[in-house]
Amino acid sequence: MNHSSRPSRRSRLRAVGLTCSVFALVLSAGCAADSSGNDGGKTVIRFNWWGSDVRHEQTKQMIALFEKEHQNISVQVEYSNWDDYWKKLSTGAAAGDMPDVLQITDPFMYSYIDNGQLMDLKKVKDVLNTDKLPPNSMSMTTVKGGLYGVPAGDSAFGVAVDPAAFKKAGVPIPDDTKWSWDDYVKTATAIAKSKSKLVGSVMPLYPNMVGPWLRQHGEDYWTEDGSEIGFTEKTMTGYWEWVVKLRDSGGTTSPEAAVEALASGAGIEQNLVAQHKAAMTEMSVTQLGALEAASGRETKLLLFPGEDGAAQVGAYTKPGVFYGASARTEHPKEAAQLLDFLVNSPEAGKIGKFDRGVPVNPDVLKAITPELSPAEKRIADYLRRANALKPTAVHLPNAEAGPAVPEIFQRLNEDVLFDRLSPKAAAKKFISEIKSQL
Amino acid sequence: MLRSPLSQAARKEERTAWVFLLPWFVGMAGVTLGPMIASLYFSMTDYNLLSSPEWVGFENYSKMLDDPRLRTSLSVTFAYVALSVPLLLAVALALAMILNRGIRGLAFYRSVYYLPSLLGASVAVGILWRQVFGTDGLVNKFLGLFGIHGPGWISNPDTALYSLVVLHVWTFGSSMVIFLAGLRQIPEQYYEAAALDGAGRWHQFRHVTVPLLTPIIFFNLVLQVISSFQSFTQAFVVSGGTGGPSDSTLFYSLYLYEEGFGRLHMGYASAMAWLLVVVVGALTAINFYFSKRWVFYGDGK
């Protein structure tokens, strides 16, 4: 036995063989991951969405029902939170690997529509019935005559107030048909100065109040066709002057605490109103159920201040979430069947309720109305009141620059809150930064 | 020219070596080299991930010249490197010297101090940091005992970067372990000789330890400058992915990520990546250039 310390030729060959087979395995696993196609005679389609745990559970139930109704289709689901969703989708799109059916929203969806990543749903109109969907609910996804998404549900922004906190502070809840932006600051201050030791209002960091503000001044983010910026430096300066006034009033959380809450990705459960520490917060009204579940209190929804005597109604309702399909799907018919089920099936509506907004299909809404919780009834009531003001339609955002607006706003808003920029300088920069994205 | 012919056995061995090296080559080509070449191409295109790239030449590079946020991110990153690297090396060296004095349970301490360098760049620690340096965090609770009302360290633009510097310095473990190995290499006779000549602790440190340790200090310095220039996770997690508040923690790589995957400017982000390569390369070259003046290799060079 010479060379006993060295591997024999045979064992060396075996090692080489092993290495190669490991490689082959890795490579084939890579290919196996691409699995849209057939699965035991069934057509497999992929469906992606973002959302909370509640939504994940509900949607999986809806899918189970869909698969029961369509024995020939198997739906592969993938879900994540908001941030990861878009990063994953953009890289997926770059690799030509978009899910067949997906949840989308403005303004981010416009990049996808503009670049031809989404299917024109008019092509599958024999399968996807849009007769019951009000035309105005589809105006946002109608681009150059094509339809690129169907609305999952209507939503709006508003002010949530905790009546128990107001009572504790001895401050009356303002009349939201008459209150002004100054009243908002005064109310917040009054609560903070009362013996209740409560925070008057959560510091607004998202641009949710900006849209209504601009509209009340007869402007909008964008011109009607979305080609140009639709607001003036003066109006934007006014908004940030109001923010500074609110900050200096002492009626809100400190900018630091607000920034911290935002950075930790806090959900509505961590909102100070949910924790009985604050009396008012702006929010997307469909989150009311989650807010009440966390706070254990009945919460009221108010219209934004300043509607009385405004140049234009600031409030608006619009679908907050849409469903779309990939332009490159190999199964357009099955994808359309799923879309049709999601927006038109009363049974699906009963599972999802208002989680993605108030269903726009009247039949679905009617079917689920008897099963609504008190919070959901208040959401529906709020949307009715907002719509009763007869708001004009929101202008479509610019496909190039629109998606960057929330991020630019948030950054400049922090500059204002920490006194690094004056409201006027911030407004000027806001406009120039958006312009540089056009 | 004639190469000495390899014996059959040697050639076979060489072939086997290549086969075993293959995984590394595949990895190198697929995971590093391929993407690098691709990014060089993308950096000369207008590419948004959703449609095919369009050739624009050097437009992305010239755009970088008048991008105020790029300047902000560079100055934030330089400040971070300039502050955290010397501090980290000083702490690592000090701890290494204490541990080198032959205390009991060295292995235990070494592991405990090493642990943060494994965890420092992790998401969990970033989240922990938010708790420690938050408005109602541990640091402020501690300051509160003395009646001091601390700011929200990570949410105030004036202090946010410093809390990240502290986080980075906390990961001194890997440098410390390398220092410790270096200290062990210094022959005991040098200290004995110095002591005989009447040198105290400080003089021994200044004239024996430091000169003999300069190659190790240099090695740690180069590695730390390169890695801290590319820091990403800490700022991403602590600021919630924004580089905020007010861009005060906008590390270069974070801005690059936001441009590429947030705003879908992949062409511009690729160009930024190449600027990063150039900057880190230049810093390393500068380090090597000046090393001739202070690094001592004992063999007379």
Side-chain angles (χ1 to χ4, degrees):
Chain A
M1 280 295 218
N2 57 343
H3 302 311
S4 60
S5 65
R6 293 174 59 179
S8 70
R9 181 185 151 78
R10 195 190 216 164
S11 65
R12 252 187 292 156
L13 277 179
R14 204 184 292 154
V16 170
L18 200 72
T19 317
C20 294
S21 46
V22 165
F23 259 86
L25 244 160
V26 170
L27 288 176
S28 62
C31 310
D34 177 27
S35 63
S36 107
N38 284 356
D39 171 19
K42 286 186 183 184
T43 305
V44 180
I45 54 172
R46 284 164 60 211
F47 176 31
N48 285 23
W49 70 87
W50 75 84
S52 62
D53 291 343
V54 176
R55 179 176 298 173
H56 300 331
E57 280 317 306
Q58 288 175 346
T59 313
K60 279 190 258 181
Q61 282 177 38
M62 284 153 72
I63 293 304
L65 186 65
F66 174 76
E67 286 178 330
K68 215 163 129 199
E69 285 180 15
H70 300 82
Q71 295 285 341
N72 60 331
I73 304 175
S74 160
V75 182
Q76 238 178 45
V77 299
E78 266 175 67
Y79 44 87
S80 61
N81 65 24
W82 167 259
D83 279 339
D84 299 343
Y85 185 82
W86 294 98
K87 309 273 151 68
K88 218 164 98 183
L89 195 60
S90 58
T91 34
D97 187 33
M98 287 241 294
D100 300 284
V101 177
L102 65 162
Q103 190 176 303
I104 49 175
T105 190
D106 71 300
F108 305 98
M109 64 186 180
Y110 293 112
S111 310
Y112 289 78
I113 295 173
D114 213 42
N115 287 291
Q117 293 284 344
L118 296 176
M119 196 206 315
D120 180 357
L121 300 177
K122 287 192 174 155
K123 284 187 200 152
V124 286
K125 61 172 188 277
D126 335 331
V127 186
L128 169 59
N129 185 350
T130 55
D131 295 350
K132 291 280 181 174
L133 310 178
N136 67 357
S137 75
M138 288 184 288
S139 65
M140 288 175 69
T141 44
T142 304
V143 178
K144 294 188 187 116
L147 177 68
Y148 296 95
V150 279
D154 258 336
S155 185
F157 294 109
V159 180
V161 300
D162 176 4
F166 273 81
K167 202 172 161 202
K168 198 173 167 198
V171 176
I173 296 177
D175 173 359
D176 67 350
T177 57
K178 293 210 179 69
W179 70 334
S180 66
W181 291 87
D182 271 343
D183 291 335
Y184 188 96
V185 177
K186 278 182 202 149
T187 310
T189 319
I191 290 164
K193 293 219 167 104
S194 74
K195 330 190 268 297
S196 68
K197 298 252 175 77
L198 289 167
V199 174
S201 163
V202 172
M203 179 70 86
L205 293 181
Y206 288 119
N208 301 345
M209 287 169 120
V210 180
W213 176 283
L214 297 178
R215 283 163 56 82
Q216 286 179 2
H217 287 80
E219 300 171 13
D220 203 321
Y221 276 120
W222 301 100
T223 51
E224 205 153 359
D225 59 353
S227 63
E228 295 288 334
I229 292 172
F231 61 91
T232 59
E233 189 186 311
K234 186 167 163 258
T235 308
M236 201 56 219
T237 305
Y239 175 76
W240 269 317
E241 278 167 354
W242 176 79
V243 168
V244 168
K245 206 192 273 178
L246 184 65
R247 179 198 68 187
D248 293 343
S249 74
T252 63
T253 37
S254 72
E256 289 166 3
V259 166
E260 228 171 271
L262 188 74
S264 64
I268 195 76
E269 296 83 5
Q270 264 93 51
N271 188 297
L272 289 184
V273 172
Q275 299 180 342
H276 303 175
K277 287 179 188 158
M280 299 193 281
T281 184
E282 52 86 22
M283 66 171 201
S284 169
V285 298
T286 45
Q287 291 185 296
L288 188 72
L291 179 78
E292 290 195 358
S295 77
R297 286 181 183 174
E298 194 174 294
T299 310
K300 237 183 127 173
L301 289 172
L302 301 187
L303 294 165
F304 280 124
E307 297 291 15
D308 188 27
Q312 184 187 194
V313 175
Y316 54 87
T317 65
K318 66 168 191 61
V321 176
F322 300 85
Y323 299 113
S326 164
R328 287 187 235 171
T329 177
E330 287 165 27
H331 311 289
K333 185 177 152 245
E334 287 79 4
Q337 281 176 310
L338 178 57
L339 290 173
D340 185 67
F341 171 82
L342 289 168
V343 294
N344 290 328
S345 158
E347 301 310 314
K350 278 180 190 168
I351 298 170
K353 294 267 192 64
F354 284 4
D355 187 67
R356 287 182 174 89
V358 177
V360 294
N361 181 333
D363 294 348
V364 176
L365 186 59
K366 206 172 146 202
I368 65 175
T369 298
E371 298 180 19
L372 293 181
S373 69
E376 283 157 352
K377 282 191 183 124
R378 279 194 288 282
I379 296 171
D381 185 52
Y382 178 85
L383 291 188
R384 250 195 310 277
R385 288 183 60 213
N387 281 327
L389 298 175
K390 304 235 177 324
T392 49
V394 182
H395 298 168
L396 290 192
N398 182 276
E400 288 286 315
V405 168
E407 177 258 309
I408 298 174
F409 170 83
Q410 225 165 294
R411 180 157 42 82
L412 295 174
N413 193 52
E414 283 173 5
D415 284 334
V416 171
L417 285 174
F418 289 106
D419 279 329
R420 303 197 141 199
L421 284 180
S422 70
K424 194 172 162 58
K428 200 176 229 151
K429 215 170 160 196
F430 193 38
I431 290 173
S432 72
E433 280 205 34
I434 297 173
K435 268 198 181 134
S436 76
Q437 301 289 318
L438 281 170
Chain B
M1 272 239 284
L2 273 172
R3 270 177 70 188
S4 55
L6 289 165
S7 74
Q8 209 187 352
R11 221 179 296 149
K12 222 179 249 171
E13 197 136 300
E14 196 184 72
R15 222 179 301 143
T16 315
W18 280 108
V19 170
F20 276 96
L21 277 171
L22 192 68
W24 185 84
F25 279 115
V26 170
M28 176 71 188
V31 183
T32 310
L33 215 56
M36 271 184 85
I37 294 166
S39 86
L40 187 61
Y41 164 68
F42 287 144
S43 77
M44 312 239 179
T45 63
D46 183 6
Y47 181 39
N48 65 5
L49 287 176
L50 304 178
S51 53
S52 349
E54 258 171 62
W55 184 260
V56 293
F58 285 92
E59 200 184 291
N60 287 319
Y61 291 93
S62 62
K63 238 195 265 173
M64 284 197 277
L65 294 175
D66 46 27
D67 177 356
R69 283 192 90 200
L70 185 96
R71 280 199 292 276
T72 310
S73 73
L74 276 174
S75 71
V76 165
T77 314
F78 270 110
Y80 174 75
V81 173
L83 275 173
S84 63
V85 174
L87 269 174
L88 179 139
L89 292 182
V91 171
L93 181 55
L95 259 294
M97 290 190 65
I98 293 171
L99 291 184
N100 193 37
R101 289 168 70 181
I103 51 166
R104 269 200 285 168
L106 173 65
F108 171 73
Y109 285 111
R110 208 171 35 197
S111 317
V112 167
Y113 288 128
Y114 188 69
L115 207 56
S117 30
L118 297 176
L119 301 174
S122 74
V123 172
V125 169
I127 291 171
L128 173 75
W129 226 244
R130 241 168 20 207
Q131 301 294 329
V132 172
F133 285 94
T135 328
D136 299 317
L138 270 182
V139 171
N140 279 352
K141 289 231 166 88
F142 178 73
L143 289 176
L145 296 179
F146 305 98
I148 302 169
H149 187 72
W153 300 97
I154 50 154
S155 51
N156 187 311
D158 295 330
T159 55
L161 187 62
Y162 301 112
S163 53
L164 290 183
V165 168
V166 175
L167 174 58
H168 188 64
V169 172
W170 184 58
T171 63
F172 62 83
S174 59
S175 302
M176 182 197 74
V177 168
I178 297 168
F179 275 138
L180 206 49
L183 288 170
R184 288 288 168 85
Q185 297 291 315
I186 302 174
E188 196 56 33
Q189 302 95 289
Y190 289 178
Y191 289 106
E192 282 164 15
L196 278 179
D197 287 341
R201 281 263 164 76
W202 168 249
H203 281 102
Q204 286 184 14
F205 171 73
R206 178 77 191 74
H207 297 291
V208 179
T209 312
V210 171
L212 289 173
L213 212 55
T214 45
I216 308 284
I217 297 176
F218 176 62
F219 174 76
N220 272 335
L221 178 72
V222 170
L223 280 196
Q224 283 296 333
V225 166
I226 293 174
S227 77
S228 54
F229 211 90
Q230 303 175 54
S231 292
F232 172 82
T233 320
Q234 297 96 319
F236 181 82
V237 176
V238 170
S239 71
T242 61
S246 267
D247 278 355
S248 60
T249 61
L250 187 71
F251 285 166
Y252 190 82
S253 50
L254 184 55
Y255 181 43
L256 190 159
Y257 173 79
E258 197 184 290
E259 277 290 327
F261 293 97
R263 291 188 173 181
L264 305 183
H265 295 163
M266 199 45 83
Y268 189 66
S270 300
M272 282 182 68
W274 278 93
L275 180 65
L276 179 66
V277 170
V278 170
V279 169
V280 172
L283 282 178
T284 311
I286 289 169
N287 251 330
F288 269 94
Y289 178 77
F290 283 105
S291 74
K292 286 179 207 146
R293 305 197 180 172
W294 61 275
V295 178
F296 170 69
Y297 284 105
D299 56 1
K301 278 188 191 166

